[in-house]
Amino acid sequence: MSTDSTLSVRTFIEQNSAGFVEDLKDWLRIPSVSGDPDRAGDVRASAEWLAAKLRATGFPTVEIWETASGAGLPTVFAEWPSGDPDAPTVAVYGHHDVQPATPLELWETAPFEPTVRDGKLFARGASDDKGQLFFHVLGVRAHLAATGRTAPAVNLKLIVEGEEESGSPNFAPLLRDHAERLACDVVVVSDTGMWDRDTPSTVTGMRGLIAAQIDARGPSGDVHSGSFGGAIPNPITELVRLLAGLHDENRHVTLPGFYDGIVELTERERQLFAKLPFDEAAWLRTAKSPAAIGEAGFSTLERIWARPTAEINGIWGGHTGHGSKTIVPSEAHAKLSFRLVAGQDPAQVRKGLEAWLAERMPEWIEYELSFEGEGVRPCLTPLDHPALQSITRALGRAFADDPDGERREILYTREGGSGPEADLQDVLAAPVVFLGVSLPEDGWHAPNERVDVANLLKGAEAAAYLWEDLAGNK
């Protein structure tokens, strides 16, 4: 931070925290549920609220973008040029839509009437993702106040989606349509969290995803098992036998080429994962599971963060009602999903599944294989990437007792789930780094979603430090 600062970042944030919380409450009162068609007007009102707030903050360019099809929900774009000819360009991604609040009876306070209790702000969207996106507004104000600048040290762009909680169906086309305006050197995502209150961390990658369905047919209709059973193919039996071979005895996935080209964990990454205070017994209680199992040779955290998986999400067919119905069913169905890691391509996994089925499905069973879209690509930022190091320094400074003294150690995690981050990485051809401060207990998508106000303010502080660090870290 500049030596001629007239007001420190931390002091500015403390002095403006009350107004920040009140503004955030106003935004949280808007029920911007993208998955409910009846709330489309509220999603638009949310975009307009944010656009007005960004203009008032000082962003000279603020626009509301419609989806290419015109049938989707609005995205907010804002831009604030640095004015420095060599300044890097940073795009911040977040979303302003929220999950439905049902079941309402499980909320202790109304989901769209924000309430602060014991230092936590309760409301739908408090942590996912309005709170974590909004701390950037306070952060850029603190950055300007502390440095005396009239514009950020970086060329700052915001892209705030309105359909993330509905699967981002229009986001990739929107990125492609506006790729020139969104061009940047790095993307900062504030839609993740940290390990826990005492262990600040940053995410370095997210897994990809491809989902499929198998529809198998034996006889052309259900027939009597006493008359025909044991003498004709049963599609449920054949499908179950086939799916039992999806993993080998070491729980490796058996699709051809499934592991080709994947980015293996480095020894340093494995050591850093091991430094996290992971309580497997507590994790198993959260997982509602009696045991932790998985691919041989890897820890639980490595399996859920850095290894690809194949899961049978559902299987059905034949009679499933009360009592017995002794038939050989005509059809069997299964839903599968594959979580992917860096180096894997959804298209290649799709080809592998097609080849695997063609080789193993008995010739007397007719089947169809279908996929849910093109899949989501994984993303990963190497630990030595300069932008990731800037994130680490900014967080280490924000979470230190003295921001000008020794920085707090920041550990690294990954996300086992999937999101639109890979689209940002692929379309914009820029690395993705994560600045999130939500805690595991914040209850994303659940009743009584909340966010720790002190942590939000730490997020704003880290953002304020980040822009100057990135500007000097070319």
Side-chain angles (χ1 to χ4, degrees):
M1 202 60 64
S2 302
T3 56
D4 60 349
S5 299
T6 57
L7 190 63
S8 74
V9 166
R10 189 168 291 184
T11 299
F12 182 91
I13 288 174
E14 289 172 352
Q15 293 177 351
N16 290 273
S17 60
F20 163 77
V21 171
E22 289 306 310
D23 283 346
L24 178 56
K25 285 181 178 180
D26 284 344
W27 195 18
L28 292 169
R29 290 188 180 99
I30 303 173
S32 50
V33 182
S34 61
D36 183 352
D38 293 337
R39 294 293 189 186
D42 292 313
V43 179
R44 185 166 297 279
S46 171
E48 292 170 349
W49 186 98
L50 178 60
K53 184 59 63 177
L54 293 175
R55 293 187 187 102
T57 300
F59 280 84
T61 299
V62 181
E63 300 169 1
I64 293 178
W65 288 351
E66 306 297 338
T67 58
S69 66
L73 297 168
T75 291
V76 177
F77 170 76
E79 184 174 16
W80 198 337
S82 166
D84 297 340
D86 297 328
T89 299
V90 182
V92 173
Y93 167 83
H95 63 91
H96 67 93
D97 64 320
V98 300
Q99 281 278 315
T102 51
L104 294 176
E105 65 272 15
L106 296 183
W107 284 79
E108 295 178 11
T109 54
F112 296 107
E113 284 299 329
T115 304
V116 176
R117 299 196 307 272
D118 300 322
K120 299 174 181 62
L121 176 59
F122 289 79
R124 175 59 87 225
S127 54
D128 181 24
D129 180 41
K130 288 181 178 177
Q132 297 207 91
L133 187 283
F134 197 54
F135 74 56
H136 283 284
V137 174
L138 179 58
V140 74
R141 291 172 57 207
H143 165 64
L144 297 177
T147 60
R149 297 181 59 93
T150 58
V154 298
N155 300 310
L156 187 58
K157 301 179 181 182
L158 268 62
I159 179 77
V160 188
E161 186 187 357
E163 297 182 313
E164 195 273 347
E165 298 292 9
S166 298
S168 303
N170 296 290
F171 190 57
L174 185 78
L175 289 177
R176 288 191 286 268
D177 288 346
H178 297 280
E180 185 173 341
R181 298 208 44 202
L182 290 170
C184 60
D185 299 298
V186 64
V187 179
V188 175
V189 174
S190 288
D191 189 22
T192 54
M194 46 187 265
W195 180 260
D196 62 32
R197 186 182 308 278
D198 300 318
T199 314
S201 60
T202 184
V203 173
T204 62
M206 300 187 75
R207 291 194 293 187
L209 175 68
I210 186 168
Q213 179 166 322
I214 304 171
D215 300 294
R217 177 181 291 275
S220 59
D222 296 348
V223 295
H224 193 290
S225 65
S227 301
F228 301 101
I232 64 172
N234 183 317
I236 295 179
T237 301
E238 300 300 337
L239 186 57
V240 169
R241 292 177 63 182
L242 183 145
L243 292 177
L246 191 57
H247 301 86
D248 65 17
E249 64 278 7
N250 291 314
R251 301 187 185 276
H252 295 132
V253 180
T254 57
L255 300 191
F258 187 70
Y259 296 97
D260 291 353
I262 69 171
V263 178
E264 300 285 354
L265 277 165
T266 66
E267 188 58 33
R268 183 184 175 214
E269 287 172 316
R270 301 188 82 166
Q271 291 171 355
L272 289 171
F273 284 179
K275 290 183 69 173
L276 292 162
F278 178 57
D279 183 338
E280 188 160 285
W283 179 84
L284 283 171
R285 289 192 293 272
T286 303
K288 303 176 183 179
S289 174
I293 62 172
E295 185 182 1
F298 297 92
S299 71
T300 297
L301 287 182
E302 290 167 356
R303 289 168 184 158
I304 61 176
W305 286 349
R307 297 300 295 171
T309 65
E311 295 292 343
I312 302 169
N313 306 122
I315 186 165
W316 69 99
H319 177 62
T320 58
H322 294 292
S324 64
K325 185 179 182 183
T326 53
I327 59 169
V328 175
S330 64
E331 296 182 358
H333 311 270
K335 287 185 179 290
L336 311 178
S337 64
F338 301 85
R339 296 285 179 175
L340 313 179
V341 299
Q344 289 181 298
D345 184 342
Q348 291 302 115
V349 175
R350 173 174 177 157
K351 291 179 181 178
L353 180 57
E354 291 170 342
W356 184 84
L357 275 177
E359 178 184 352
R360 298 191 178 211
M361 187 71 80
E363 62 182 20
W364 49 82
I365 296 291
E366 297 180 358
Y367 73 93
E368 293 181 3
L369 174 63
S370 56
F371 293 88
E372 294 183 18
E374 298 179 357
V376 177
R377 294 174 61 85
C379 68
L380 179 67
T381 302
L383 296 188
D384 59 356
H385 195 284
L388 180 58
Q389 297 307 306
S390 287
I391 286 278
T392 303
R393 285 191 292 269
L395 281 168
R397 190 173 177 185
F399 280 91
D401 293 335
D402 177 4
D404 295 320
E406 184 178 355
R407 292 187 177 95
R408 184 79 172 270
E409 181 183 19
I410 304 299
L411 297 180
Y412 297 107
T413 66
R414 295 192 194 179
E415 287 282 345
S418 309
E421 288 75 16
D423 287 332
L424 289 160
Q425 180 178 264
D426 291 348
V427 176
L428 303 183
V432 174
V433 292
F434 297 84
L435 178 57
V437 295
S438 180
L439 299 173
E441 62 266 28
D442 283 348
W444 291 26
H445 299 194
N448 302 304
E449 178 185 347
R450 56 201 174 275
V451 71
D452 187 289
V453 174
N455 256 35
L456 276 189
L457 299 180
K458 290 295 185 186
E461 188 177 342
Y465 299 141
L466 179 61
W467 307 139
E468 194 159 21
D469 194 297
L470 283 169
N473 189 16
K474 300 180 178 61

